Amino acid sequence: MKVEKSDEEWKKSLSEDAFHITRKKGTERAFTGKFWDHKENGIYTCICCGKELFDSKTKFDSGSGWPSYYEPVSPDAVSEEKDTSHFMTRTEVLCHDCGAHLGHVFPDGPGPTGLRYCINSASLDFKEK
Ligand code: FE
């Protein structure tokens, strides 16, 4: 289900950090977020709209300082777009339902997908299993 809100509306329900990162494509500093070293069993959800995004079973320690997963929880959990900002060509990862900026995906992850979804903690919430 698509979710559309104005910046003013998002600001009411998000912290300043979460608003900046999810709605303005910001990035938290490595090793500062609440989930990079988080190891509980459960589902990581979108901080903006609550959509289920990543299962803890697919989380791995990438050494990057950001929570990293080898695949989304379902094929329609995220959208991907080409991002050419900051003089790099990367693939941006967004919440499929509300368009929240989550992070980027890189082709240097572990099996079975070989992908590394490098996600900002501030874009996520967590539901314990
Ligand atoms: Fe969302």
Side-chain angles (χ1 to χ4, degrees), residues 5 9-10 14 19 25 41 57 63 75 81-82 97 99:
K5 290 191 196 182
E9 288 175 289
W10 284 123
L14 297 170
F19 176 79
K25 305 190 188 299
N41 287 323
K57 285 186 300 199
E81 277 179 27
K82 189 174 174 186
D97 282 7

Side-chain angles (χ1 to χ4, degrees), residues 1 24 29 37 57 81 83 87 96-97 99 104 106:
M1 193 175 58
K24 299 296 165 190
R29 281 183 298 126
D37 197 27
K57 285 186 300 199
E81 277 179 27
D83 172 10
F87 309 102
H96 178 267
D97 282 7
H104 293 88
F106 301 95

Side-chain angles (χ1 to χ4, degrees), residues 112-125:
T113 61
L115 297 173
R116 172 170 61 99
Y117 287 81
C118 183
I119 304 299
N120 289 286
S121 297
S123 301
L124 300 172
D125 202 352

Side-chain angles (χ1 to χ4, degrees), residues 26-84:
T27 304
E28 70 199 13
R29 281 183 298 126
F31 303 103
T32 64
K34 61 181 172 179
F35 292 134
W36 71 272
D37 197 27
H38 184 257
K39 297 187 170 98
E40 305 303 313
N41 287 323
I43 301 287
Y44 294 85
T45 58
C46 176
I47 191 73
C48 293
C49 75
K51 187 169 179 73
E52 297 193 346
L53 299 175
F54 297 99
D55 190 311
S56 60
K57 285 186 300 199
T58 67
K59 192 173 191 289
F60 65 97
D61 182 6
S62 64
S64 68
W66 289 282
S68 302
Y69 310 85
Y70 63 73
E71 71 184 353
V73 71
S74 64
D76 72 343
V78 303
S79 315
E80 298 180 8
E81 277 179 27
K82 189 174 174 186
D83 172 10
T84 55

